[in-house]
Amino acid sequence: MKYMFDWKKDINKKELDKAIEVIKNNGLVLVPTETVYGIAANALEDEACKKIFEAKGRAQDNPLIVHVSDKNMLKSLVKNISTVEEKLIDAFMPGPFTLILEKNESICKTASAGNSTIGIRMPSNSIIHELIKESNIPLAAPSANISGRPSGTNVQDIFEELKDKMDCIIDGGNCKIGIESTVVKVIDGVPTILRPGFITEDDIKKAVGRVALSSNLFKKIEENQSVESPGMKYRHYAPKTKCVLVENSENQIDIINNILKENENACVVGFSEDKDYIRTKKFIDLGSKNNLEKIAHNIFSALREIDKENVTLAIIEGVEKKGLGLSIMNRVVRACENNIIH
Ligand code: TXA
Ligand code: MG
């Protein structure tokens, strides 16, 4: 690592020039966004984007999201934009939203993994926004984590994992949202959610009148299966410790206490109000079950916390698969590798 900047309070203009220099030299910058941290590089250069794949150990067929500062930059990277797509852009950008569009030739082949489409996102976080705007370079940026591991939502959580792989690390404090953007592709005129996120099904329905959910969101996908989004196929968000998800139900607490009877060395990742009723010494608090935004904010750090507890099993409390709860469950189901108690 060449540079480490602390911008928790303010963006330092001199340091910003150094970060821009790293981008212009095809280097990697660890940068905060409102969703999760990203590993950013010049989206127009194969050499730069190849480094992202190497640093993450990412499958070659899994394309990157390209981040832009404004609508003009977005338009410079894609072919035609339909009326529905235009509406989605106006409703949700800037923000935690990624739209899959037909790309033109400017984005490098490595970023799009050879596909004719590209995911475009316009982040609202001021740090990544300034980096894109001032460099005038669209930035390819996947979530900041080694592939398969939980995404990073603060620098402490990912520093050891990534410090030797980055040229520049920008610490912008905790990410506001904590889970990744909603990935949407308009298929036959219908906005279809390929990865649920902070922008929910309802939000999209309200904005454009129609919405669909990919049928693959909670399925275990085989390596050679064809899916709308390559990311669906791969192991994701998983702690090293074995995890089991106890789905939302009336007797969630009893089920957990029963599992604990047979697994003494287990921790529980659960809701604040359940803490006193769950018989474990190692409780990782997700916040109140009534505050889904807080749970979304805490979930990746909680998943990383599990491996620090020295346990043989982690039992995770599930939320209802509705609204933001659906997006949280999408991450947790994958973290548990479909090891679920209904
Ligand atoms: O919030 C976010 O989106 C974060 C921050 C850093 O912006 N980025 C992020 O990127 O989560 P990544 O690479 O970890 O996840 C991108 C997801 C993957 O599941 C990938 O398969 C899917 O988006 N994706 C990217 N391009 C696609 C495309 N052209 N068609 C279908 N799916 C695509
Ligand atoms: Mg990711």
Side-chain angles (χ1 to χ4, degrees):
M1 187 209 332
K2 201 168 163 198
Y3 303 119
M4 169 98 200
F5 302 142
D6 182 349
W7 295 358
K8 287 201 274 301
K9 287 210 181 78
D10 273 312
I11 296 173
N12 178 309
K13 292 285 177 198
K14 278 203 182 117
E15 291 173 347
L16 177 61
D17 288 340
K18 299 226 165 71
I20 292 171
E21 167 205 304
V22 170
I23 292 295
K24 291 195 167 154
N25 289 326
N26 292 339
L28 299 183
V29 178
L30 183 77
V31 64
T33 84
E34 70 275 26
T35 57
V36 300
Y37 272 77
I39 300 173
N42 187 341
L44 310 177
E45 294 292 335
D46 282 302
E47 185 197 323
C49 290
K50 275 185 186 143
K51 288 183 190 159
I52 296 179
F53 281 81
E54 274 162 32
K56 281 193 64 125
R58 186 178 177 103
Q60 298 294 330
D61 71 344
N62 196 4
L64 305 173
I65 291 173
V66 174
H67 298 68
V68 298
S69 53
D70 55 52
K71 216 165 156 181
N72 281 339
M73 189 182 273
L74 181 153
K75 290 196 164 162
S76 75
L77 303 173
V78 300
K79 285 186 178 155
N80 36 0
I81 297 174
S82 70
T83 324
V84 180
E85 287 161 348
E86 191 92 41
K87 273 192 194 166
L88 290 166
I89 293 168
D90 292 339
F92 301 117
M93 291 189 188
F97 184 80
T98 297
L99 187 60
I100 309 293
L101 294 165
E102 279 301 313
K103 73 176 203 73
N104 63 26
E105 295 308 307
S106 43
I107 290 167
C108 71
K109 282 208 174 66
T110 308
S112 62
N115 291 292
S116 61
T117 57
I118 190 77
I120 306 259
R121 173 157 127 69
M122 192 189 296
S124 62
N125 172 287
S126 60
I127 294 180
I128 185 163
H129 174 82
E130 284 298 304
L131 186 58
I132 303 166
K133 191 175 125 229
E134 294 303 318
S135 62
N136 197 26
I137 293 173
L139 297 180
S143 55
N145 53 277
I146 300 291
S147 283
R149 303 270 297 133
S151 306
T153 52
N154 61 66
V155 169
Q156 303 85 275
D157 279 359
I158 44 180
F159 187 76
E160 281 308 314
E161 191 168 310
L162 296 174
K163 67 176 197 297
D164 298 329
K165 304 181 172 195
M166 298 299 114
D167 299 293
C168 174
I169 293 181
I170 302 173
D171 191 345
N174 281 322
C175 295
K176 211 164 114 194
I177 292 176
I179 57 170
E180 303 92 337
S181 62
T182 307
V183 177
V184 169
K185 184 176 187 178
V186 177
I187 303 173
D188 297 325
V190 183
T192 308
I193 298 179
L194 306 186
R195 179 180 70 184
F198 191 75
I199 304 285
T200 63
E201 217 181 334
D202 267 2
D203 295 333
I204 296 171
K205 183 131 199 240
K206 271 187 205 131
V208 299
R210 304 172 79 179
V211 68
L213 277 179
S214 157
S215 58
N216 290 319
L217 293 186
F218 288 95
K219 284 194 194 143
K220 216 171 181 172
I221 313 279
E222 301 306 325
E223 182 74 25
N224 55 359
Q225 206 173 323
S226 139
V227 281
E228 305 99 313
S229 183
M232 292 170 169
K233 288 190 301 199
Y234 298 106
R235 185 172 184 266
H236 258 93
Y237 315 123
K240 291 175 188 134
T241 311
K242 186 182 168 200
C243 298
V244 57
L245 168 65
V246 177
E247 280 207 330
N248 174 264
S249 73
E250 292 272 296
N251 48 1
Q252 209 169 8
I253 294 176
D254 296 335
I255 297 172
I256 293 172
N257 281 329
N258 279 333
I259 304 173
L260 283 166
K261 268 184 211 153
E262 273 150 43
N263 298 273
E264 274 176 22
N265 190 24
C267 72
V268 175
V269 180
F271 312 125
S272 312
E273 47 271 76
D274 295 351
K275 186 175 176 184
D276 292 341
Y277 303 97
I278 292 175
R279 288 188 278 279
T280 178
K281 280 185 224 96
K282 294 166 180 172
F283 188 86
I284 300 171
D285 199 332
L286 282 173
S288 166
K289 67 176 93 182
N290 300 317
N291 189 346
L292 292 177
E293 295 196 3
K294 188 79 190 258
I295 296 173
H297 184 266
N298 291 339
I299 190 69
F300 282 130
S301 265
L303 290 175
R304 282 178 174 271
E305 187 74 33
I306 291 169
D307 287 335
K308 297 180 201 149
E309 294 285 0
N310 225 338
V311 290
T312 49
L313 180 71
I315 308 164
I316 307 179
E317 283 198 271
V319 296
E320 217 182 323
K321 278 187 196 154
K322 249 177 35 192
L324 186 52
L326 180 96
S327 312
I328 295 166
M329 286 296 274
N330 173 264
R331 306 322 190 258
V332 178
V333 165
R334 284 161 161 266
C336 294
E337 303 185 82
N338 288 62
N339 189 10
I340 305 167
I341 295 177
H342 300 277

